[in-house]
């Protein structure tokens, strides 16, 4: 669905073009008139985007027009970022010249000095202008007209996230399964027996499993309780390793599956356990047998709950008569829908909406996931909005296309919920297609990625980008696009059907590259955002086509807890690829096998986010300060990192510097207190005033938030110096104080 990202990006571009400081600078560079003309034509195109959004559902030509427009918008935004970066570079150069007469010693990136700005950008602007004129003419040929958007709902943003305890109509199923969980299973010859929960996607299998898992009787009956998400990637080693970490609380490395399963056998030995394997897709009996070998050491009466859509494996395991979890009854479905749409369990107080509600429930196939999504979409909406949902073209089977049976039932409901999001929320949701199924989302880390991509830019905003991102995440959570993780309320997951939806709407610009993904050179060139799911024994040659993705903005290497730096020849991949992708804004290489960061990385002038965590690097490049746009730098767990370069102090836009777990990094550069935008700085070590960080430097870091550890307080010379730090004015949640002799005091901050 190109309309959302296109609309959001065009809005950002027009705001940049309207900025007075930006206009003043481009006038000085002689490219003002060209950019002004671009803005005028883009404004007229923006006026028809709402009509295009409605028509793309059934008109392939309009859909392609939107895709072409979004590609062009990306190109325009890259040019504007080039201009803004050059302006920033000149401003910083002036500051440096003012502070030193040795201008010749300034290190200026080569990519700034070759040609004048207008000389470098004019060919790009000319090409963009030609394409924009083509699209401008095509809008008339496609019959696109100016169409008023629906009036903004005054209650937007007041949604609440209903607790999972609001479960309707599963009492009978729960009672039956509880008896199987807690009773004696005379039919099983093994120490554990399997309790399957089978049904189509979105019917509520995981919800039912959660009800059982958290039941007080169940909690008291078993010694071990473990919940593991499986999904369609049935990697025995990975699942076993996750299982070991869950039952032992340890992160250990194992040479092979045999060693790992021996350790698991000891963990389960003579203990009565409850293991939930959620969303099992495999139909391979041998794979299943290998996975469960360690479970035979458990005590009699142990249970394995398996939620699945597939019945073939269960038949091979001897389950001939399976009770499928059915859709809710019409009455229960209507009650669940009312809870999410109206906040009550019936339509008794809303008789005029009852008929509409019944029709929507029928269209949702009485599936709980669909009912929740549509219910939250309609919460506090007018009756007219209910009619719009009922009459939407998205319910049309022709629009659904050639999809699986599960998808054909639930897809229209989920798509309607997506369609009702604001343009920016749609873009944030689509971004999550870069992450694999069952991925555990950290809200703060995801918000930083969104910010680095430029998705959280708010004009005339009184709140920070990070705060806007938190609000946006909560909005998606309130509409069931995210859910709380089963075992950790601080983390979040996305239902696999929601992940499928994100992949569907993002497919023209986002690529998640997994072990089974085939990459063709001609296909890769169109993508702007890519992720590589860190697989064991990956093949370097598979990534060769990435070198053709010269418009790439995002490259995420996602390590799923393998802690194996040798998945592929990552050093070669890293060194060879970076010169080919000069437009990168987000680069995450956490956990891969690199011990040195090549200097070329300092030429990625658009870079906002750099993650080198869990690598073997010993230092950062001397010219790291050339990354004027850098907002987030993460080097967590880089235990070999010993020092930061002097140019670090040129990172004026740096907001988050996370270096937790870097014991060898003993001191910060003198003058780091001048980085006024810093919000994350987990630790500081107080030095003598002339040789390192002085506590008085904290005075200028007014934006610090979160957790802060201060070491070496014995070197603070007076109470006045400590007072100058103004710690009470910062948004700290925890402050840890260390006087340097092993004494330590931590306190929460209110």
């Amino acid at each position: 669905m190109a309309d959302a990202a296109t609309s959001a990006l065009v809005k950002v571009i027009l705001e940049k073009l309207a900025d007075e400081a930006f206009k003043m600078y481009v006038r000085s560079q002689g490219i003002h008139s060209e950019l002004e003309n671009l803005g005028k034509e883009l404004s007229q195109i923006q006026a028809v985007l709402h009509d295009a959004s409605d028509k793309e559902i059934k008109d392939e030509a309009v859909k392609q027009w939107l895709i072409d427009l979004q590609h062009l918008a990306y190109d325009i935004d890259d040019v504007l970022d080039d201009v803004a970066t050059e302006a920033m570079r000149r401003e910083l150069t002036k500051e440096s010249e003012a502070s030193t007469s040795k201008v010749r010693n300034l290190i200026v990136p080569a990519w700034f000095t070759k040609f004048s700005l207008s000389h470098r950008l004019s060919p790009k602007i000319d090409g963009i202008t030609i394409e924009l004129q083509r699209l401008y003419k095509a809008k008339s040929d496609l019959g696109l007209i100016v169409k008023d958007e629906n009036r903004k709902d005054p209650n937007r943003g007041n949604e609440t996230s209903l607790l999972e305890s609001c479960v309707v109509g599963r009492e009978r199923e729960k009672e039956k399964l509880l008896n199987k969980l807690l009773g004696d299973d005379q039919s099983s010859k093994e120490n554990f027996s399997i309790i399957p929960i089978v049904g189509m996607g979105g019917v509520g299998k995981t919800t039912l499993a959660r009800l059982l898992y958290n039941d007080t009787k169940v909690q008291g009956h078993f010694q071990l309780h473990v919940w593991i998400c499986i999904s369609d990637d049935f990697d025995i080693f990975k699942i076993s390793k996750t299982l070991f970490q869950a039952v032992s609380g340890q992160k250990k490395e194992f040479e092979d599956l045999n060693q790992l399963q021996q350790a698991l056998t000891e963990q389960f030995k003579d203990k009565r356990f409850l293991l939930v394997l959620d969303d099992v897709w495999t139909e391979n009996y041998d794979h299943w047998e290998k996975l469960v070998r360690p479970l035979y050491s458990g005590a009699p009466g142990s249970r394995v709950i398996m939620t699945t859509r597939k019945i073939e494996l269960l038949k091979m395991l001897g389950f001939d008569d399976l009770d499928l979890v059915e859709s809710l009854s019409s009455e229960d479905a209507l009650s669940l829908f009312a809870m999410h749409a109206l906040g009550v369990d019936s339509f008794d107080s809303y008789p005029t909406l009852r008929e509409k509600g019944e029709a929507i429930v029928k269209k949702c196939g009485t599936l709980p996931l669909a009912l929740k999504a549509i219910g939250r979409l309609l919460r506090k909406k007018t009756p007219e909005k209910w009619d719009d949902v009922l009459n939407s073209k998205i319910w049309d089977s022709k629009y659904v296309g050639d999809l699986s049976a599960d998808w054909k039932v639930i897809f229209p409901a989920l798509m309607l919920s997506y369609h009702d999001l604001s343009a920016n929320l749609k873009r944030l949701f689509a971004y999550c297609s870069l992450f694999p199924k069952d991925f555990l989302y950290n809200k703060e880390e995801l918000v930083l990625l969104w910010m680095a991509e430029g998705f959280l830019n708010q004009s005339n905003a009184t709140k920070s980008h990070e705060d806007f991102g938190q609000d946006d995440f909560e909005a998606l959570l309130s509409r069931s696009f995210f859910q709380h993780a089963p075992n950790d309320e601080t983390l979040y997951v996305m239902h696999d059907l929601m992940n499928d939806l994100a992949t569907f709407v993002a497919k023209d610009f986002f690529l998640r590259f997994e072990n089974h993904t085939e990459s063709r050179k001609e296909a890769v060139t169109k993508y702007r955002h890519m992720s590589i799911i860190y697989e064991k024994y990956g093949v370097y040659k598979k990534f060769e086509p990435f070198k053709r993705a010269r418009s790439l903005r995002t490259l995420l290497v996602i390590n799923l807890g393998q802690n194996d730096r040798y998945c592929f020849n990552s050093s070669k991949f890293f060194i060879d690829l970076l010169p080919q992708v000069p437009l990168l804004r987000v680069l995450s290489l956490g956990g891969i096998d690199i011990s040195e960061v090549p200097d070329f990385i300092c030429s990625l002038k658009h870079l906002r986010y750099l993650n080198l965590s869990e690598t073997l690097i010993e230092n950062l490049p001397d010219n790291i300060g050339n990354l004027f746009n850098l907002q987030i730098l993460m080097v967590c767990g880089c235990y070999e990192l010993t020092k930061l370069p002097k140019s670090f102090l040129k990172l004026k836009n740096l907001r988050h510097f996370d270096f937790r777990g870097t014991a060898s990094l003993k001191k910060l550069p003198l003058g780091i207190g001048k980085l006024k935008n810093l919000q994350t700085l987990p630790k500081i070590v107080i030095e003598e005033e002339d040789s390192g960080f002085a506590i008085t430097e904290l005075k200028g870091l007014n934006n610090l938030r979160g957790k802060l550890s201060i070491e070496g307080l014995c070197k603070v010379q007076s109470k006045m110096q400590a007072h100058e730090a103004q710690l009470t004015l910062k948004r700290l949640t925890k402050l840890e104080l260390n006087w340097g002799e092993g004494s330590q005091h931590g306190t929460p901050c209110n």
Side-chain angles (χ1 to χ4, degrees), residues 431 434-435 449 530-532 554-558 586 588 609:
Y431 191 80
L434 293 176
F435 301 94
L449 285 168
M530 289 188 192
S531 64
I532 300 172
T554 307
L555 180 60
L556 302 177
V557 177
I558 298 176
V586 170
S588 180
Y609 179 105

Side-chain angles (χ1 to χ4, degrees), residues 580-641:
Q580 311 302 323
V581 284
L583 299 177
L584 277 183
R585 297 190 179 202
V586 170
L587 177 61
S588 180
L589 298 168
I592 70 171
D593 175 33
I594 55 170
S595 56
E596 184 178 353
V597 184
D599 287 336
F600 183 83
I601 204 169
C602 301
S603 297
L604 298 174
K605 59 182 175 180
H606 300 277
L607 202 63
R608 267 82 169 167
Y609 179 105
L610 177 59
N611 187 350
L612 299 168
S613 298
E614 304 291 339
T615 60
L616 300 175
I617 60 171
E618 297 179 8
N619 49 58
L620 296 172
D622 289 339
N623 293 342
I624 193 77
N626 289 342
L627 299 176
F628 302 127
N629 283 307
L630 196 65
Q631 297 174 328
I632 300 111
L633 176 59
M634 303 178 74
V635 289
C636 302
C638 294
Y639 53 84
E640 300 284 351
L641 183 65

Side-chain angles (χ1 to χ4, degrees), residues 266-328:
E266 286 301 312
Q267 291 293 328
F268 282 105
K269 190 173 182 180
D270 299 329
K271 294 175 184 173
R272 185 161 60 190
F273 63 83
L274 171 63
L275 170 61
V276 178
L277 298 177
D278 187 34
D279 200 21
V280 176
W281 283 65
T282 187
E283 298 173 6
N284 189 307
Y285 180 83
D286 291 335
H287 288 176
W288 172 263
E289 278 296 299
K290 286 181 182 178
L291 177 68
V292 300
R293 281 173 188 167
L295 305 185
Y296 292 106
S297 67
S302 296
R303 300 287 187 266
V304 175
I305 296 176
M306 182 204 298
T307 72
T308 182
R309 306 180 202 180
K310 306 285 187 176
I311 63 173
E312 286 76 7
L313 175 62
L314 289 168
K315 286 182 177 179
M316 286 185 271
L317 292 172
F319 290 89
D320 296 322
D321 298 315
L322 289 166
D323 293 327
L324 301 184
V325 179
E326 302 290 348
S327 299
L328 295 173

Side-chain angles (χ1 to χ4, degrees), residues 335-481:
S335 178
L336 180 64
F337 179 65
M339 284 183 178
H340 289 273
L342 304 171
V344 293
D345 62 2
S346 74
F347 279 80
D348 292 348
S349 301
Y350 301 87
T352 58
L353 291 175
R354 184 180 183 91
E355 185 177 348
K356 302 179 197 296
E358 289 173 342
I360 290 172
V361 165
K362 185 176 180 181
K363 283 183 177 290
C364 288
T366 69
L367 287 172
L369 182 64
L371 293 168
K372 291 177 187 178
I374 298 296
R376 292 178 181 183
L377 183 161
L378 292 174
R379 194 163 178 83
K380 298 185 179 181
K381 297 292 174 62
T382 63
E384 290 75 21
K385 180 63 179 177
W386 288 51
D387 288 331
D388 289 344
V389 167
L390 263 177
N391 300 323
S392 172
K393 299 173 184 176
I394 292 176
W395 296 109
D396 190 336
S397 60
K398 293 179 182 177
Y399 177 69
V400 173
D402 184 20
L403 299 172
S404 67
D406 286 12
W407 257 111
K408 283 196 174 183
V409 174
I410 204 168
F411 178 85
L414 299 186
M415 182 57 81
L416 272 168
S417 188
Y418 164 81
H419 206 62
D420 188 65
L421 296 174
S422 67
N424 203 51
L425 285 180
K426 287 178 182 176
R427 185 163 61 160
L428 300 182
F429 172 67
Y431 191 80
C432 296
S433 66
L434 293 176
F435 301 94
K437 291 182 178 180
D438 297 323
F439 183 78
L440 290 173
Y441 293 87
N442 178 297
K443 177 168 61 174
E444 285 72 25
E445 291 177 6
L446 181 59
V447 166
L448 292 185
L449 285 168
W450 286 344
M451 181 180 73
E453 299 286 1
F455 294 167
L456 303 179
N457 291 330
Q458 302 287 339
S459 59
N460 303 318
T462 56
K463 293 196 295 187
S464 69
H465 297 321
E466 291 86 349
D467 289 339
F468 271 111
Q470 295 276 336
D471 292 345
D472 287 340
F473 185 93
E474 291 297 327
L476 290 171
L477 176 66
S478 74
R479 291 170 172 235
S480 297
F481 288 95

Side-chain angles (χ1 to χ4, degrees), residues 69 105 131 167 170 180 292 335 442 510 552 606 610 612 627 635 650 652 660 742 748:
L69 178 60
N105 289 333
E131 176 64 4
V167 180
R170 295 302 185 198
K180 291 183 178 181
V292 300
S335 178
N442 178 297
F510 293 78
L552 201 63
H606 300 277
L610 177 59
L612 299 168
L627 299 176
V635 289
K650 293 167 63 179
K652 300 296 186 182
R660 290 170 295 165

Side-chain angles (χ1 to χ4, degrees), residues 92-191:
L92 291 174
T93 300
K94 287 179 183 178
E95 292 179 9
S96 297
E97 290 175 351
S99 62
T100 177
S101 60
K102 298 179 180 179
V103 181
R104 57 188 173 83
N105 289 333
L106 289 172
I107 300 174
V108 179
W111 33 272
F112 282 126
T113 57
K114 289 182 179 177
F115 305 104
S116 69
L117 187 66
S118 60
H119 188 276
R120 283 193 294 112
L121 295 184
S122 288
K124 293 181 182 178
I125 294 174
D126 290 344
I128 287 171
T129 301
I130 293 170
E131 176 64 4
L132 186 60
Q133 289 171 349
R134 181 187 74 80
L135 293 172
Y136 181 80
K137 179 180 181 299
K139 76 178 177 64
S140 301
D141 298 339
L142 292 169
L144 298 178
I145 59 173
V146 177
K147 191 174 179 182
D148 290 336
E149 293 195 38
N150 294 332
R151 185 176 63 87
K152 187 174 180 180
D153 192 329
N155 293 305
R156 176 64 63 92
N158 292 334
E159 306 93 341
T160 58
S161 180
L162 296 179
L163 297 175
E164 192 65 15
S165 57
C166 297
V167 180
V168 176
R170 295 302 185 198
E171 294 81 6
R172 182 180 60 82
E173 290 96 331
K174 180 185 175 183
E175 191 62 33
K176 185 175 180 179
L177 291 170
L178 272 177
N179 290 334
K180 291 183 178 181
L181 272 176
L182 304 176
D184 292 330
D185 186 1
Q186 302 295 335
S187 62
S188 177
K189 299 177 182 178
E190 312 296 347
N191 289 350

